[in-house]
Amino acid sequence: MKINFKFLFLFFASISLFCFAGNALLPSDTKNNTAASTEIQAAKAQTKIDSIINDALKKHVFPGCQVVVWKEGKVFLSKSYGYFTYENKQRVNDSTMYDLASLSKTTGTLLAIMKLYDEGKIKLTDKASDYLPFLKRTDKENITITDLLFHETGLQGSMFFYKSMFEKNNGLLLDLNSAKLGNPAYKYKEGLTSKFRTADFNIQVSDSLFLHKSFHETAMRKIALSRLGAKTYLYSCVNFILLKEIAETVSGQSMDEFLNENFYQPMGLRHMAYLPLRSHYKNEITPTIKKDFLRNGLLQGYVHDPDAGFLGGVSGNAGLFADAHDVAMVYQMLLDSGTVNGTQYLSAETCKLFTTKTSASGRRGLGFDKPVPSQPNINPCSSLAPAEVYGHTGYTGTCCWVDPVNKLVYVFLSNRTYPDDGVNMLARLSIRPKIQEVIYQSIVKK
């Protein structure tokens, strides 16, 4: 019998190829496998995060919250928990808006500064007094924009503008820390406030409190005359209040209008706004405090921070309201080198500079907060977060952290200040870092 070796070779080669193909993953199978793996990771992370948050809800750490995690530009986790208040009348949903507090610094003010830098209208070495004449001929004349962004100006942490609004008792300022709502001893000075908006009283602080139009100038003068300390790191809301003033001077617009025009509206951020009651219903916004004696009761839709509130709600240190999805969109834009859906909002060079440059002390980025792994007691992030992470936290119980190494965006929003902000259980129990740690344990390869 004559053997056809050529036929046998082809026969066994085809069988080998068939067997290999049966064990190998075709391109479509690879995608399906990756997707399935991601779903499993997300499910495991979600179960652990649910446990952390449900425990916090039982302990009344906050009445409700939102958690959003994006991995490589796609939603990895997104869930809303709890209610607006402990009365459990209105559930939190994915479009519920929260007072971002100091997360406004990087989600609002810093974006404006980055845009103006990107357009060549300001330099980081510029002096703040070049744009703000009230700082001329003071000991603050040489403070630069970089100093403000690094929190290395020597300015105080807060100015407590509202203290100058109250009558004095026997020549001494009343103890505002022990003030109670409705206490007749705490009265605003005559001629500085009104219950109604008028041409002269046009700074709205709450539903029935308007300040005289001269108050903004008074506040800026107070900054100019304030005591200046050493130019070492000290986190200060005043630094960002001045950055907002610079942004408005250079742009010729109010900062909220500038941000709406250049970022929020074209990016389709429907649930991100300063003075949110101008564009949203009150029941879309969680309350931040039940009895605020400065503004006569419940705060809902008005910024919690007193300095920001008495500056009219559009301030450099606070004032922005948003849901977690829209916050994630802003930081995903920064992670994607300034682009969203093919539209360039900031140059890649500007994004890289602002998100990577750190102060000489290593404690702060250009406006952004950073992990502090060497000091666990003050580290705002999980110990698993790499040094490249940048973001910010907020007093009302908010945070956003961006990890360019692992392509992650993590957002947590809550109103932990409701009904009052006396004890910060959110910080004591490290809820935000614990959630971040679960995220890293779930999706970062060891």
Side-chain angles (χ1 to χ4, degrees), residues 25 27 31 43 50 64 117 151 157 159 208 225 239 279 296 312 325 391:
L25 288 172
K31 292 178 182 178
D50 286 349
Y117 172 85
H151 293 278
M159 295 304 298
S208 58
L225 298 175
N239 293 324
S279 53
N296 195 32
H325 171 273

Side-chain angles (χ1 to χ4, degrees), residues 198-434:
T198 68
D200 289 333
F201 294 89
N202 59 5
I203 301 176
Q204 187 170 10
V205 182
S206 68
D207 287 337
S208 58
L209 179 59
F210 297 83
L211 306 185
H212 193 272
K213 61 185 180 182
S214 64
F215 185 77
H216 179 270
E217 183 180 344
T218 299
M220 295 305 108
R221 189 183 308 119
K222 185 174 182 179
I223 294 175
L225 298 175
S226 66
R227 180 182 59 81
L228 192 68
K231 290 186 68 172
T232 55
Y233 171 71
L234 175 66
Y235 177 74
S236 170
C237 286
V238 184
N239 293 324
F240 269 74
I241 288 172
L242 292 178
L243 286 168
K244 176 258 187 183
E245 298 296 319
I246 292 171
E248 291 191 336
T249 299
V250 176
S251 69
Q253 295 177 273
S254 65
M255 188 173 71
D256 57 321
E257 291 175 353
F258 181 79
L259 289 168
N260 280 335
E261 182 180 303
N262 287 280
F263 295 98
Y264 304 156
Q265 289 179 0
M267 286 174 64
L269 307 184
R270 294 178 296 171
H271 296 96
M272 180 171 286
Y274 289 89
L275 303 174
L277 294 176
R278 297 182 302 183
S279 53
H280 296 79
Y281 293 109
K282 187 171 284 189
N283 64 10
E284 297 178 75
I285 309 162
T286 60
T288 50
I289 198 163
K290 192 170 185 178
K291 293 183 178 180
D292 178 72
F293 85 95
L294 288 170
R295 287 163 279 186
N296 195 32
L298 178 74
L299 281 187
Q300 188 171 7
Y302 294 100
V303 61
H304 173 271
D305 181 85
D307 281 347
F310 278 65
L311 289 173
V314 181
S315 182
N317 65 314
L320 191 58
F321 289 72
D323 66 23
H325 171 273
D326 283 5
V327 173
M329 282 283 289
V330 169
Y331 292 87
Q332 187 65 47
M333 178 268 291
L334 296 176
L335 186 56
D336 289 340
S337 301
T339 63
V340 178
N341 296 326
T343 300
Q344 195 84 38
Y345 292 91
L346 292 167
S347 70
E349 293 77 17
T350 292
C351 289
K352 183 178 180 180
L353 172 65
F354 278 78
T355 60
T356 59
K357 187 175 177 63
T358 57
S359 60
S361 66
R363 178 61 188 87
R364 210 80 186 187
L366 277 174
F368 291 106
D369 199 0
K370 303 284 290 180
V372 194
S374 62
Q375 301 179 61
N377 59 318
I378 63 168
N379 188 6
C381 294
S382 159
S383 60
L384 299 178
E388 291 85 354
V389 164
Y390 58 90
H392 217 282
T393 59
Y395 181 80
T396 51
T398 63
C399 76
C400 180
W401 296 107
V402 182
D403 180 348
V405 176
N406 297 290
K407 305 295 187 238
L408 289 173
V409 175
Y410 157 50
V411 182
F412 176 90
L413 303 183
S414 77
N415 56 334
R416 70 96 195 159
T417 49
Y418 188 90
D420 64 73
D421 59 352
V423 180
N424 190 348
M425 291 298 293
L426 183 76
R428 287 189 182 184
L429 297 176
S430 300
I431 302 296
R432 290 168 291 188
K434 283 180 180 177

Side-chain angles (χ1 to χ4, degrees), residues 1-12:
M1 181 179 177
K2 191 174 182 180
I3 299 175
N4 189 329
F5 289 100
K6 183 177 181 182
F7 171 82
L8 286 176
F9 175 81
L10 292 173
F11 175 77
F12 285 113

Side-chain angles (χ1 to χ4, degrees), residues 161-167 187-196 200-203 205 209-215 218 310:
F161 298 126
Y162 61 86
K163 288 189 175 183
S164 62
M165 301 289 295
F166 284 90
E167 296 285 0
K187 293 182 179 180
Y188 288 112
K189 293 177 181 177
E190 290 290 332
L192 291 183
T193 66
S194 170
K195 292 184 178 180
F196 309 99
D200 289 333
F201 294 89
N202 59 5
I203 301 176
V205 182
L209 179 59
F210 297 83
L211 306 185
H212 193 272
K213 61 185 180 182
S214 64
F215 185 77
T218 299
F310 278 65

